[in-house]
Amino acid sequence: MKKKTYNLINNNQFLIKFIYGLIILNVILLILESYKSIRNEFGDFLEIFEIISVVIFTIEYLLRLWTSDLNVTYRGNSLKKRLQFGYSTFGLIDLIAIVPFYLPFLFPFDLRIVRILRLFRLLRIFKLGRYSKSLKTINSVLKETKSELAITVFVAFILLVLSSTLMYYIESDVQPENFASIGHSFWWAVATLTTVGYGDVYPITAIGKVLSAIIALIGIGFIALPTGIISSAFIEKIQEQKTKKNSKLCKCPNCGKEIKNYEL
């Protein structure tokens, strides 16, 4: 029974497509609910749909938790395997997708807190990562390039600190309100380095303008770094997937190990 349930929730295409569509509908209805006219007219329908969705997601989570000890990627006894699923990324996402609905029934919350908890329904969109091959590819690319991206973020932080510190000493005397501290200058540095340039805070001294122009030019090239890293890794991953599709997999009759025979 447990094996059949495990195969059903992980391999049954009809059920996978049903959950996929239910997640999309939840996100769409969450957006529509923000319109006051729609909320007033279809409030009862939206509430019923939310209850049905939570019941389905709860059953799905409990079944995944129950059958998680059959997952060969987990190690240990049944309890440890279930804990590994519970602390996994998708396990936490599944839990967060349903917990905000039950919390108001267990603990008395202020109405504002309840509204904030309802916003957590938007996190259900991350459940698509379990079913969408595209999201799995993006997640794989980010994991493979995390060290390069971490270096980029570290360099960006250094540039932001240096820029905001220099601008503070240059502009603080003539603009004590906009550049009152290095922390205030940090906002200007972020807007300039990312080439957004909101224009609410800007230097007025000659040296400050020169520094701002240099930082803006650096930002143009700097923003291209993570984009290039991710795009190149993404192209490699797509090519790798195409290669796998064009290859034939067969198993050794003795050891059962997969052998790749690429088509010419």
Side-chain angles (χ1 to χ4, degrees):
M1 183 67 181
K2 185 183 289 188
K3 285 184 178 181
K4 289 182 179 179
T5 304
Y6 180 82
N7 291 326
L8 177 68
I9 60 179
N10 288 284
N11 301 319
N12 188 281
Q13 291 300 314
F14 175 79
L15 182 61
I16 290 174
K17 290 179 180 179
F18 173 75
I19 297 295
Y20 194 99
L22 186 62
I23 295 169
I24 297 296
L25 283 176
N26 269 261
V27 175
I28 293 174
L29 292 181
L30 177 63
I31 296 171
L32 294 177
E33 190 181 358
S34 63
Y35 292 89
K36 188 176 181 180
S37 58
I38 296 177
R39 187 169 62 251
N40 292 336
E41 186 172 354
F42 301 99
D44 294 337
F45 168 77
L46 294 173
E47 194 69 28
I48 293 172
F49 187 84
E50 169 67 9
I51 294 173
I52 295 174
S53 299
V54 170
V55 170
I56 294 174
F57 289 143
T58 303
I59 294 173
E60 181 202 8
Y61 176 75
L62 293 176
L63 289 177
R64 289 188 181 280
L65 186 64
W66 177 51
T67 60
S68 58
D69 58 339
L70 297 179
N71 194 325
V72 294
T73 60
Y74 298 145
R75 296 290 181 267
N77 55 32
S78 297
L79 178 60
K80 288 183 178 180
K81 287 184 176 182
R82 290 190 175 96
L83 288 175
Q84 289 177 50
F85 168 77
Y87 288 112
S88 66
T89 302
F90 287 124
L92 292 174
I93 290 174
D94 290 341
L95 184 62
I96 294 173
I98 59 176
V99 164
F101 177 84
Y102 296 107
L103 286 179
F105 297 102
L106 301 175
F107 306 99
F109 286 116
D110 183 79
L111 183 60
R112 291 171 295 180
I113 302 298
V114 174
R115 288 178 179 175
I116 294 174
L117 289 174
R118 290 175 71 88
L119 288 175
F120 277 93
R121 292 182 297 169
L122 186 61
L123 296 179
R124 291 173 187 171
I125 196 171
F126 291 108
K127 288 169 64 67
L128 294 176
R130 179 184 282 119
Y131 309 104
S132 174
K133 292 182 179 180
S134 300
L135 291 177
K136 288 180 180 178
T137 301
I138 294 173
N139 183 50
S140 176
V141 168
L142 292 176
K143 284 184 178 180
E144 291 178 1
T145 59
K146 61 181 179 181
S147 58
E148 292 86 352
L149 294 175
I151 294 173
T152 306
V153 172
F154 179 70
V155 174
F157 178 74
I158 293 175
L159 288 174
L160 288 172
V161 172
L162 289 175
S163 303
S164 56
T165 302
L166 290 173
M167 192 58 69
Y168 164 70
Y169 285 109
I170 294 172
E171 295 285 328
S172 60
D173 292 335
V174 293
Q175 296 191 78
E177 294 182 357
N178 292 334
F179 297 92
S181 65
I182 295 176
H184 287 79
S185 304
F186 203 83
W187 164 248
W188 166 87
V190 171
T192 305
L193 188 62
T194 56
T195 68
V196 176
Y198 284 106
D200 55 341
V201 179
Y202 54 89
I204 59 176
T205 63
I207 299 177
K209 290 180 180 180
V210 172
L211 178 62
S212 179
I214 294 173
I215 294 172
L217 291 173
I218 292 174
I220 294 173
F222 180 79
I223 294 300
L225 284 177
T227 306
I229 292 171
I230 295 175
S231 60
S232 62
F234 190 77
I235 292 172
E236 289 179 2
K237 180 62 65 175
I238 295 298
Q239 291 177 344
E240 180 182 337
Q241 291 178 353
K242 287 183 178 180
T243 303
K244 288 182 178 180
K245 285 183 179 180
N246 294 329
S247 65
K248 291 182 179 179
L249 291 176
C250 58
K251 291 185 178 181
C252 175
N254 297 320
C255 64
K257 185 178 179 181
E258 290 185 344
I259 303 174
K260 295 181 179 179
N261 292 325
Y262 293 102
E263 294 180 345
L264 299 176

